[in-house]
């Protein structure tokens, strides 16, 4: 089965000619391997074979025959078999043969982009996993993101140094945005004799990792590249979720609870909570579903409007008359097209090249105050804006995310030691898999406002659909 999709013939499925047809039930995505362009690369027996703590049993080692399906929900009322095969990926885990001599490994770990709960956990588990499972002794941390490859000296890491890092927020290796210079980065990787590279970052970082992998491939270097997807917004596609997301939702609850207390304690009180989510509203959505105190959830994937029938003002006026208070959650990327911008603001970009967003929280607070003073000049109105963004990003990971970070790190290590390269590791339908970097770099994970989860938000809040009638 390795590298190919088996053909399956089911005699019970026939065409109108009554002849059985053959179909491919899945399309196994090709996973790059060092042997693809280095045919003489040497293999070794996995040192876990002689590790007394593991005692590998039958089924411990995975093969190319172990796969993970991406689509597991099938509509049997439609055409079957489907016209397009289901996507499948190689399952993550240890292989019996590895392609690195642990004594010659020089591994580099880098963190890029914004902060996210769990970054230090991933670093720690990469170091401890390489050291304890495979006996690697040369592990380095690249400081300050991509620019650190060519502007700073790496620091040597060991289990004793990183022992308590999982209890700290942020990243001890430091991080930054931008600074991507492909030639300088790959030259530095060569000059430092790194042959394993673990890149922790979001979608922009993964796009950079694709370029690094391609350049390493072009130069035919014996260097494996693994990406570990990191985004607190949970906007990386294909995988079930990104690490830190669970912690972010949990922390957002505290902000929503505070907003609810403030609103409930005031006359015509409104608690307004601005949460992270530039292009996706997953944190806002999940926080709303788990809070039960939110009256309206605004996310980038769906438009809303303020004035008129079915608008936000009409809805909030009704809620304030009924309950005396209301809580609104808004993702930072929501309503950006509604906020007035100067010409300079329209062209402004951050260090990663992304458009600079205006503060939807401050804008919405101002619009709500102006609306109330205009339509209800003689009535009290209180609005409290809470923005917990940096508090959420900077906290340590909770227990669920710590476990997730450990499994991600170990999955990456097993894949790299097995000679795979140019991949991202992550859970697909609860099973850890290796996904080609390029595929992840292109994929998005937006909230599907047509599925049941968004319908659940509407049922919990009873908010309008914001469709003009």
């Amino acid at each position: 089965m390795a590298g190919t999709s088996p053909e399956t013939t089911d005699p019970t499925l026939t065409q109108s000619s009554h002849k059985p047809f053959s179909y491919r039930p899945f399309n196994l995505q090709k996973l790059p391997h060092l042997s693809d362009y280095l045919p003489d690369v040497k293999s070794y027996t996995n040192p876990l074979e002689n590790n007394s703590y593991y005692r590998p049993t039958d089924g411990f080692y995975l093969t190319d025959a172990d796969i993970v399906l991406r689509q597991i929900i099938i509509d049997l009322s439609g055409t079957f078999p489907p016209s397009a095969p289901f996507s499948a990926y190689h399952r993550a885990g240890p292989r019996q043969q590895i392609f690195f001599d642990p004594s010659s490994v020089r591994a580099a770990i880098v963190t890029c982009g914004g902060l996210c709960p769990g970054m230090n956990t991933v670093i720690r588990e990469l170091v401890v996993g390489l050291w304890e499972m495979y006996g690697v002794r040369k592990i380095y941390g690249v400081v300050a993101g991509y620019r650190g490859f060519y502007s700073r000296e790496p620091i040597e890491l060991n289990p004793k140094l990183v022992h308590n890092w999982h209890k700290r927020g942020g990243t001890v290796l430091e991080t930054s945005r931008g600074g991507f210079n492909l030639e300088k980065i790959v030259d530095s990787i060569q000059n430092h004799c790194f042959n394993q590279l673990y890149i922790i970052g979001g979608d922009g970082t993964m796009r950079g990792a694709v370029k690094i992998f391609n350049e390493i491939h072009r130069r035919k270097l014996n260097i494996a590249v693994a990406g570990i997807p990191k985004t607190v917004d949970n906007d990386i596609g294909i995988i079930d979720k990104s690490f830190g997301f669970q912690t972010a939702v949990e922390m957002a609850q505290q902000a929503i609870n505070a907003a609810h207390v403030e609103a409930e304690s005031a006359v015509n009180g409104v608690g307004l909570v601005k949460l992270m989510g530039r292009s996706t509203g997953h944190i806002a959505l999940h926080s709303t579903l788990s809070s039960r105190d939110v009256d309206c959830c605004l996310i980038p994937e769906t438009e809303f409007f303020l004035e008129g029938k079915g608008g936000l003002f009409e809805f909030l006026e009704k809620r304030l008359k009924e309950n005396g208070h209301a809580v609104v959650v808004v993702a930072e990327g929501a309503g950006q097209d509604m906020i007035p911008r100067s010409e300079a603001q329209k062209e402004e970009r951050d260090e990663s090249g992304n458009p600079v967003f205006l503060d939807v929280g401050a804008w919405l607070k101002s619009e709500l105050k102006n609306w109330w003073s205009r339509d209800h000049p003689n009535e009290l109105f209180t609005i409290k804006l809470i923005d917990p963004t940096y508090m959420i990003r900077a906290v340590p990971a909770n227990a669920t995310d710590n476990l997730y970070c450990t499994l991600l790190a170990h999955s990456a290590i097993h894949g790299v030691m097995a000679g795979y390269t140019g991949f991202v590791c992550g859970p697909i339908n609860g099973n850890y898999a290796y996904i080609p970097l390029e595929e992840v770099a292109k994929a998005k994970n937006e909230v599907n406002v047509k599925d049941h989860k968004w319908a659940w938000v509407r049922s919990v809040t009873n908010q309008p659909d914001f469709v003009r009638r």
Side-chain angles (χ1 to χ4, degrees), residues 182-408:
L182 182 59
E183 293 297 320
K184 288 184 177 181
I185 290 172
V186 180
D187 286 347
S188 175
I189 292 170
Q190 278 191 267
N191 293 338
H192 285 95
C193 299
F194 295 142
N195 53 11
Q196 293 187 4
L197 182 58
Y198 299 90
I199 301 174
I200 306 166
D203 55 351
T205 301
M206 293 301 115
R207 288 192 291 271
V210 170
K211 295 178 181 178
I212 292 172
F213 163 70
N214 288 336
E215 179 62 15
I216 286 173
H217 186 286
R218 187 187 70 79
R219 298 188 190 187
K220 293 190 173 2
L221 303 176
N222 189 4
I223 302 171
V225 180
I228 299 178
K230 173 232 42 138
T231 167
V232 74
D233 293 349
N234 197 36
D235 58 0
I236 291 181
I238 303 177
I239 63 173
D240 295 344
K241 65 177 179 179
S242 51
F243 74 81
F245 175 70
Q246 199 72 35
T247 304
V249 172
E250 186 175 293
M251 294 300 297
Q253 295 301 299
Q254 297 182 24
I256 293 173
N257 290 342
H260 182 248
V261 170
E262 288 284 353
E264 201 173 32
S265 302
V267 177
N268 292 320
V270 173
L272 177 60
V273 182
K274 188 185 88 170
L275 296 175
M276 290 166 291
R278 289 179 56 86
S279 58
T280 62
H282 292 287
I283 294 178
L285 183 152
H286 283 80
S287 299
T288 295
L289 284 177
S290 52
S291 168
R292 317 297 294 192
D293 288 329
V294 178
D295 295 280
C296 189
C297 176
L298 307 173
I299 60 175
E301 290 87 347
T302 182
E303 296 180 351
F304 68 96
F305 61 95
L306 304 179
E307 302 274 3
K309 185 158 185 67
L312 180 62
F313 291 164
E314 180 189 65
F315 173 72
L316 287 179
E317 184 167 25
K318 181 180 178 182
R319 278 297 167 91
L320 290 174
K321 285 181 179 178
E322 291 175 348
N323 302 328
H325 63 275
V327 174
V328 178
V329 167
V330 59
E332 62 181 314
Q336 289 295 317
D337 292 340
M338 301 168 63
I339 308 175
R341 289 175 180 262
S342 65
E343 288 302 317
Q345 288 173 326
K346 291 178 182 178
E347 302 298 324
E348 195 175 0
R349 295 286 188 275
D350 63 19
E351 289 181 312
S352 299
N354 300 313
V356 173
F357 281 8
L358 298 182
D359 189 343
V360 67
W363 170 78
L364 193 53
K365 177 181 179 180
S366 175
E367 292 294 315
L368 288 169
K369 289 179 68 175
N370 292 338
W371 155 66
W372 192 266
S373 62
R374 181 194 68 200
D375 290 5
H376 306 277
N378 299 318
E379 295 184 43
L380 291 174
F381 181 72
T382 302
I383 182 167
K384 299 294 184 182
L385 170 62
I386 297 176
D387 181 354
T389 297
Y390 294 106
M391 179 186 76
I392 291 175
R393 287 170 20 133
V395 300
N398 65 11
T400 301
D401 274 324
N402 262 332
L403 170 60
Y404 180 23
C405 290
T406 298
L407 297 178
L408 277 179

Side-chain angles (χ1 to χ4, degrees), residues 148-164:
F149 277 104
Y150 55 84
S151 65
R152 304 274 290 271
E153 280 301 307
I155 60 175
E156 195 159 355
L157 304 174
N158 58 67
K160 185 175 181 180
L161 179 66
V162 304
H163 178 63
N164 287 315

Side-chain angles (χ1 to χ4, degrees), residues 15 34 52 64 104 135 142 166 172 187 190 201 209 214 268 362 384 386 401 405 421 423 456:
Q15 296 172 307
L34 291 172
S52 60
D64 286 347
S104 66
V142 177
H166 63 295
V172 179
D187 286 347
Q190 278 191 267
N214 288 336
N268 292 320
K384 299 294 184 182
I386 297 176
D401 274 324
C405 290
T421 181
F423 71 88
W456 290 335

